[in-house]
Coordinates of all heavy atoms in Angstrom, one line a residue:
N328 N -49.4 -88.6 -62.2 CA -50.0 -89.8 -61.5 C -49.1 -91.0 -61.6 O -48.7 -91.4 -62.7 CB -51.3 -90.1 -62.2 CG -51.9 -91.4 -61.8 OD1 -51.8 -91.8 -60.7 ND2 -52.3 -92.2 -62.8
L329 N -48.8 -91.6 -60.4 CA -47.9 -92.7 -60.4 C -48.7 -94.0 -60.0 O -48.1 -95.1 -60.0 CB -46.8 -92.5 -59.4 CG -45.8 -91.4 -59.7 CD1 -44.6 -91.5 -58.9 CD2 -45.4 -91.4 -61.2
S330 N -50.0 -93.9 -59.8 CA -50.7 -95.1 -59.4 C -50.7 -96.1 -60.6 O -50.9 -95.7 -61.7 CB -52.2 -94.8 -59.1 OG -52.2 -93.9 -58.0
D331 N -50.5 -97.3 -60.3 CA -50.4 -98.4 -61.3 C -49.3 -98.2 -62.3 O -49.3 -98.7 -63.4 CB -51.7 -98.5 -62.1 CG -52.9 -98.8 -61.2 OD1 -52.7 -99.6 -60.3 OD2 -54.0 -98.2 -61.4
K332 N -48.3 -97.4 -61.9 CA -47.1 -97.3 -62.8 C -45.9 -98.0 -62.1 O -45.7 -98.0 -60.9 CB -46.8 -95.8 -63.0 CG -47.9 -95.2 -63.9 CD -47.4 -93.9 -64.6 CE -48.6 -93.5 -65.5 NZ -48.9 -92.1 -65.3
K333 N -45.1 -98.6 -63.0 CA -43.9 -99.3 -62.5 C -42.7 -98.4 -62.9 O -42.6 -98.0 -64.1 CB -43.8 -100.6 -63.2 CG -44.9 -101.6 -62.7 CD -44.6 -103.0 -63.3 CE -45.8 -103.9 -63.0 NZ -46.2 -104.7 -64.1
I334 N -41.8 -98.2 -62.0 CA -40.6 -97.4 -62.3 C -39.4 -98.3 -61.9 O -39.3 -98.8 -60.8 CB -40.6 -96.1 -61.4 CG1 -41.8 -95.3 -61.7 CG2 -39.3 -95.4 -61.7 CD1 -41.9 -94.0 -61.0
A335 N -38.5 -98.5 -62.9 CA -37.3 -99.2 -62.7 C -36.3 -98.3 -62.0 O -36.0 -97.2 -62.6 CB -36.7 -99.8 -64.0
I336 N -35.8 -98.7 -60.9 CA -34.8 -97.8 -60.2 C -33.4 -98.5 -60.4 O -33.1 -99.6 -60.0 CB -35.0 -97.8 -58.7 CG1 -36.4 -97.2 -58.4 CG2 -34.0 -97.0 -57.9 CD1 -36.6 -95.7 -58.7
L337 N -32.5 -97.8 -61.1 CA -31.2 -98.3 -61.4 C -30.2 -97.7 -60.4 O -29.8 -96.6 -60.5 CB -30.8 -98.1 -62.9 CG -31.7 -98.6 -63.9 CD1 -31.0 -98.7 -65.3 CD2 -32.3 -99.9 -63.6
G338 N -29.9 -98.5 -59.4 CA -28.9 -98.1 -58.4 C -29.5 -97.7 -57.1 O -30.4 -96.8 -57.1
F339 N -29.0 -98.2 -56.0 CA -29.5 -97.8 -54.7 C -28.4 -97.4 -53.8 O -28.6 -96.7 -52.8 CB -30.3 -99.0 -54.1 CG -31.3 -98.6 -53.0 CD1 -32.6 -98.1 -53.4 CD2 -30.9 -98.6 -51.7 CE1 -33.5 -97.7 -52.4 CE2 -31.8 -98.1 -50.7 CZ -33.1 -97.7 -51.1
S340 N -27.2 -97.7 -54.1 CA -26.0 -97.3 -53.2 C -25.8 -95.8 -53.4 O -26.3 -95.2 -54.4 CB -24.8 -98.1 -53.6 OG -24.4 -97.9 -54.9
F341 N -25.2 -95.2 -52.5 CA -25.1 -93.7 -52.5 C -24.1 -93.2 -53.6 O -24.1 -92.0 -53.9 CB -24.8 -93.1 -51.1 CG -23.3 -93.2 -50.7 CD1 -22.5 -92.1 -50.9 CD2 -22.8 -94.3 -50.1 CE1 -21.1 -92.2 -50.5 CE2 -21.5 -94.4 -49.7 CZ -20.7 -93.3 -49.9
K342 N -23.3 -94.1 -54.1 CA -22.4 -93.8 -55.2 C -22.0 -95.2 -55.8 O -22.3 -96.2 -55.2 CB -21.2 -93.0 -54.8 CG -20.3 -93.7 -53.7 CD -19.2 -92.9 -53.2 CE -18.0 -92.9 -54.0 NZ -16.8 -92.4 -53.3
A343 N -21.3 -95.2 -56.9 CA -20.9 -96.4 -57.5 C -19.8 -97.1 -56.7 O -19.1 -96.4 -55.9 CB -20.4 -96.2 -59.0
N344 N -19.6 -98.4 -56.9 CA -18.5 -99.1 -56.3 C -18.5 -99.2 -54.8 O -17.5 -99.4 -54.2 CB -17.1 -98.5 -56.8 CG -16.9 -98.6 -58.2 OD1 -17.3 -99.6 -58.8 ND2 -16.4 -97.6 -58.9
T345 N -19.7 -99.2 -54.3 CA -19.8 -99.4 -52.8 C -21.2 -100.1 -52.6 O -22.1 -99.9 -53.4 CB -19.7 -98.2 -52.0 OG1 -20.0 -98.5 -50.6 CG2 -20.7 -97.1 -52.4
N346 N -21.3 -100.9 -51.5 CA -22.6 -101.5 -51.2 C -23.2 -100.7 -50.0 O -24.2 -101.1 -49.4 CB -22.4 -103.0 -50.7 CG -21.4 -103.1 -49.5 OD1 -20.7 -102.2 -49.2 ND2 -21.5 -104.2 -48.9
D347 N -22.7 -99.5 -49.8 CA -23.2 -98.7 -48.7 C -24.4 -97.9 -49.2 O -24.4 -97.3 -50.2 CB -22.1 -97.7 -48.2 CG -22.4 -97.1 -46.9 OD1 -23.5 -97.2 -46.4 OD2 -21.4 -96.4 -46.3
T348 N -25.5 -97.8 -48.4 CA -26.7 -97.1 -48.7 C -26.9 -95.9 -47.8 O -28.0 -95.3 -47.9 CB -27.9 -98.0 -48.7 OG1 -28.1 -98.5 -47.4 CG2 -27.8 -99.2 -49.7
R349 N -26.0 -95.7 -46.8 CA -26.3 -94.7 -45.8 C -26.5 -93.3 -46.5 O -25.7 -92.9 -47.3 CB -25.2 -94.6 -44.8 CG -25.2 -95.9 -43.9 CD -24.1 -95.9 -42.9 NE -22.8 -96.1 -43.5 CZ -21.6 -96.1 -42.9 NH1 -21.6 -96.0 -41.6 NH2 -20.5 -96.2 -43.5
E350 N -27.6 -92.7 -46.2 CA -28.0 -91.4 -46.7 C -28.0 -91.3 -48.2 O -27.9 -90.3 -48.8 CB -27.0 -90.3 -46.2 CG -27.1 -90.0 -44.7 CD -28.4 -89.4 -44.2 OE1 -29.1 -88.7 -45.0 OE2 -28.7 -89.6 -43.0
S351 N -28.2 -92.5 -48.9 CA -28.2 -92.5 -50.3 C -29.4 -91.7 -50.8 O -30.5 -91.8 -50.3 CB -28.4 -94.0 -50.8 OG -28.5 -93.9 -52.2
P352 N -29.2 -90.8 -51.9 CA -30.3 -90.1 -52.4 C -31.5 -91.0 -52.8 O -32.6 -90.6 -52.9 CB -29.7 -89.3 -53.6 CG -28.3 -89.7 -53.7 CD -27.9 -90.5 -52.5
A353 N -31.1 -92.3 -53.2 CA -32.1 -93.2 -53.6 C -33.2 -93.4 -52.5 O -34.4 -93.7 -52.8 CB -31.5 -94.6 -54.0
I354 N -32.8 -93.3 -51.3 CA -33.7 -93.6 -50.2 C -34.9 -92.6 -50.2 O -36.1 -92.9 -50.2 CB -33.0 -93.6 -48.8 CG1 -31.9 -94.6 -48.7 CG2 -34.0 -93.8 -47.7 CD1 -31.0 -94.4 -47.5
D355 N -34.5 -91.3 -50.2 CA -35.6 -90.3 -50.2 C -36.4 -90.3 -51.5 O -37.6 -90.2 -51.5 CB -35.0 -88.9 -50.0 CG -34.5 -88.6 -48.6 OD1 -34.6 -89.6 -47.8 OD2 -34.1 -87.5 -48.3
I356 N -35.7 -90.4 -52.6 CA -36.4 -90.4 -53.9 C -37.4 -91.6 -54.0 O -38.5 -91.4 -54.4 CB -35.4 -90.3 -55.1 CG1 -34.6 -88.9 -55.0 CG2 -36.1 -90.4 -56.4 CD1 -33.5 -88.8 -56.0
C357 N -36.9 -92.8 -53.7 CA -37.7 -94.0 -53.8 C -38.9 -93.8 -52.8 O -40.0 -94.2 -53.1 CB -36.9 -95.2 -53.5 SG -35.8 -95.7 -54.8
S358 N -38.6 -93.3 -51.6 CA -39.7 -93.1 -50.6 C -40.8 -92.2 -51.1 O -42.0 -92.5 -51.0 CB -39.1 -92.6 -49.3 OG -38.1 -93.4 -48.8
Y359 N -40.4 -91.1 -51.7 CA -41.4 -90.1 -52.3 C -42.2 -90.8 -53.3 O -43.4 -90.7 -53.4 CB -40.7 -88.9 -52.9 CG -40.1 -87.9 -52.0 CD1 -38.8 -87.5 -52.1 CD2 -40.9 -87.3 -51.0 CE1 -38.3 -86.5 -51.3 CE2 -40.4 -86.3 -50.1 CZ -39.1 -85.9 -50.3 OH -38.6 -84.9 -49.5

Side-chain angles (χ1 to χ4, degrees):
N328 165 45
L329 298 192
S330 300
D331 301 321
K332 289 200 177 129
K333 292 184 186 138
I334 301 181
I336 301 293
L337 304 199
F339 202 85
S340 57
F341 79 95
K342 61 187 273 195
N344 296 321
T345 176
N346 58 345
D347 196 348
T348 62
R349 291 177 292 179
E350 296 291 335
S351 174
I354 302 171
D355 285 6
I356 295 174
C357 289
S358 302
Y359 284 129

